[in-house]
Amino acid sequence: MNWEPWTGCYPISGGCANCYFYGPYAKRHGQNTITKTDKFDWPIRRNKKGEYNIKGDKILATCFATDFFLPEADEWRKEVWAMIRERTDIDFLILTKRIDRFPVSLPADWGEGYDNVNIGCTVETQALADTRLPLFLSYPIKRRFIACAPLLEAIDLTPYLHGVGHVTAGGETGRAARECDYEWVLNIREQCVEAGVTFWFKNTGSLFRYDGVVEKINPYQQTGRAKELGIDISDGKRLF
């Protein structure tokens, strides 16, 4: 399930260039004004019986079509944290390219983190990994994951896997997609094996180099193709 309390976004790094939501060939291209959506309070809405519309024991991907830490949402984020605090029966997944803004609007009772919040930091290149991940690891967060997506080059995560529970890797999707090399993916997987971290190969991307050959893969087949390769590492818990 996906929850977008606000919509709109704009580029923050090279990985945003062909964004599948806001890039030049995407349906939301040019929508860079940040506005609340009609689902802003979705997790705490109740039906006529007084029951939550969203039942418990769910995983709710939050702001996956925008960024949770956009500066335009600083005031709204305070309300969102309150809703997250109320719904302790839901696991919230929050993925960001703006991890440097994590401390802004952080709730007073955050402490070492909420038990029902998974914070993910996106890195697309080695330079971004070396910039974002030290910050990521310095913040009080109980449950962390790294998303190498879109994976644009080989990345060494070895110095940053302590304290991280999961890594996701995926290629870039779209007409102008840049190549994703399977060897980069396998290398990240091996780093996860050595660190004892779970791993998910999410999707191949539109241009996938496999065994030295670049294949063009339909967007609707990219997740299935990644799964067929059978390289995921699971501990039996569902993250996505």
Side-chain angles (χ1 to χ4, degrees), residues 126 129-130 133-134 137 146 155-162 164 191:
Q126 188 66 53
D130 293 339
L133 295 181
L137 294 172
I146 296 171
I155 301 178
D156 181 11
L157 298 176
T158 305
Y160 311 116
L161 291 177
H162 59 283
V164 170
Q191 295 167 39

Side-chain angles (χ1 to χ4, degrees), residues 1-159:
M1 297 179 69
N2 295 295
W3 175 36
E4 288 185 64
W6 46 82
T7 188
C9 202
Y10 46 85
I12 189 68
S13 61
C16 301
N18 300 313
C19 177
Y20 64 102
F21 271 107
Y22 300 101
Y25 301 106
K27 60 183 179 181
R28 298 189 190 184
H29 178 59
Q31 295 182 25
N32 55 9
T33 299
I34 316 305
T35 58
K36 280 186 180 181
T37 70
D38 58 4
K39 286 191 173 182
F40 181 78
D41 62 345
W42 195 35
I44 60 169
R45 287 184 190 172
R46 297 176 184 265
N47 59 28
K48 292 180 179 179
K49 295 180 180 179
E51 302 167 335
Y52 289 120
N53 286 331
I54 302 178
K55 304 304 180 185
D57 195 29
K58 294 284 193 304
I59 295 175
L60 200 56
T62 302
C63 288
F64 271 45
T66 177
D67 198 303
F68 190 77
F69 295 103
L70 283 166
E72 291 82 355
D74 285 352
E75 289 302 311
W76 304 335
R77 197 177 310 113
K78 296 174 184 177
E79 299 175 66
V80 168
W81 281 129
M83 288 185 261
I84 289 172
R85 183 170 57 246
E86 179 178 334
R87 291 305 306 268
T88 57
D89 56 338
I90 292 176
D91 275 350
F92 293 85
L93 297 183
I94 296 170
L95 183 61
T96 183
K97 288 183 172 70
R98 294 169 171 82
I99 197 62
D100 58 302
R101 305 198 76 255
F102 171 80
V104 181
S105 304
L106 201 62
D109 66 347
W110 177 260
E112 293 302 311
Y114 292 164
D115 291 335
N116 64 330
V117 174
N118 300 269
I119 302 286
C121 181
T122 298
V123 297
E124 308 101 279
T125 63
Q126 188 66 53
L128 289 171
D130 293 339
T131 300
R132 292 174 181 164
L133 295 181
L135 281 175
F136 184 44
L137 294 172
S138 73
Y139 297 133
I141 301 170
K142 283 188 177 179
R143 302 169 69 181
R144 310 172 201 262
F145 66 99
I146 296 171
C148 301
L151 181 60
L152 300 177
E153 65 182 30
I155 301 178
D156 181 11
L157 298 176
T158 305

